[in-house]
Amino acid sequence: MEASNTNTAKLELFQAGTSGYSLRTGSTDALQFYRDSTYLAQFDSSGRFLIGTTTLGHSSADDLTINNSGNGGITIRTGTSSNGAIFFADGTSGDARFDGFVQYNHGTNPYMLFGTVGDERLRITHEGEVRIPTGSNSTSRLTFGGGVNIYHDNNFKIENSTGYLKLQSNNNLYIDGDQIY
């Protein structure tokens, strides 16, 4: 252990004659990790973890910040018949533990799920098919930015602010409420 006159403490780990690693703390009030003199990562005084940077991420998502001057990312590796997931929670019990989620399911027919309020809202199959499951109100709806809605509630309906086209399960076709077929 070494402490200098700049209030920096350093613990170095290395094999004689080779480069090594060090843990440092000092005026930044952070626990920093180095390989030789190259900065790797740190825990700051608030417990946030920064990898490859000393600059925090966005203030609403800065608990873990990862930086790379090239391509970067996070890999979640699971078994060939297991799931990998990221869950968003606002509590520690019940459904509050997984209000929102992104989940990838490995296996024979893998798929990716997106969920809100603890329920699946969108599924992308291994064949690239996008599925919107029926929600608690028994209606699936896809809304586009221009005010166009596509519904499926055992009927099929496309609408915008000027009218709608509806194909019922009995094959009746309606435009703005008038049956045309």
Side-chain angles (χ1 to χ4, degrees), residues 26-59:
S27 60
T28 62
D29 200 22
L31 178 61
Q32 298 179 325
F33 301 84
Y34 284 81
R35 177 169 172 91
D36 297 327
S37 61
T38 303
Y39 170 84
L40 299 174
Q42 75 177 15
F43 283 103
D44 74 2
S45 60
S46 297
R48 297 173 292 209
F49 192 51
L50 292 78
I51 301 172
T53 184
T54 57
T55 305
L56 292 170
H58 188 276
S59 61

Side-chain angles (χ1 to χ4, degrees), residues 6 45 47 52 72 123 150-151 161 165:
T6 60
S45 60
R123 179 182 294 220
I150 300 175
Y151 295 90
S161 60
L165 173 71

Side-chain angles (χ1 to χ4, degrees), residues 79-82 104-111 125-127:
T80 58
S81 62
S82 300
Y104 188 82
N105 294 271
H106 297 282
T108 306
N109 298 307
Y111 54 90
T125 70
H126 69 285
E127 295 172 329

Side-chain angles (χ1 to χ4, degrees), residues 3-181:
S4 69
N5 59 1
T6 60
N7 295 322
T8 299
K10 180 170 46 171
L11 173 64
E12 293 185 329
L13 306 168
F14 61 92
Q15 186 175 358
T18 65
S19 57
Y21 293 91
S22 63
L23 298 174
R24 302 177 188 178
T25 185
S27 60
T28 62
D29 200 22
L31 178 61
Q32 298 179 325
F33 301 84
Y34 284 81
R35 177 169 172 91
D36 297 327
S37 61
T38 303
Y39 170 84
L40 299 174
Q42 75 177 15
F43 283 103
D44 74 2
S45 60
S46 297
R48 297 173 292 209
F49 192 51
L50 292 78
I51 301 172
T53 184
T54 57
T55 305
L56 292 170
H58 188 276
S59 61
S60 66
D62 64 357
D63 297 308
L64 171 63
T65 302
I66 300 172
N67 180 62
N68 190 317
S69 60
N71 297 327
I74 299 171
T75 298
I76 299 173
R77 183 173 289 118
T78 59
T80 58
S81 62
S82 300
N83 303 330
I86 299 172
F87 288 87
F88 304 90
D90 61 2
T92 58
S93 63
D95 291 348
R97 296 173 297 149
F98 52 90
D99 277 348
F101 57 90
V102 177
Q103 182 173 324
Y104 188 82
N105 294 271
H106 297 282
T108 306
N109 298 307
Y111 54 90
M112 180 166 276
L113 298 178
F114 296 86
T116 61
V117 195
D119 289 325
E120 176 183 339
R121 302 297 182 193
L122 181 83
R123 179 182 294 220
I124 303 172
T125 70
H126 69 285
E127 295 172 329
E129 180 181 328
V130 177
R131 297 180 184 175
I132 301 173
T134 302
S136 59
N137 61 3
S138 298
T139 300
S140 295
R141 180 174 87 182
L142 181 60
T143 302
F144 297 91
V148 175
N149 297 304
I150 300 175
Y151 295 90
H152 179 269
D153 57 357
N154 294 327
N155 301 300
F156 179 74
K157 181 178 179 183
I158 301 174
E159 71 176 10
N160 66 15
S161 60
T162 61
Y164 69 88
L165 173 71
K166 181 176 183 179
L167 178 62
Q168 290 185 322
S169 58
N170 62 6
N171 292 327
N172 291 333
L173 182 62
Y174 294 84
I175 297 179
D176 295 332
D178 296 323
Q179 182 174 351
I180 61 168
Y181 179 76

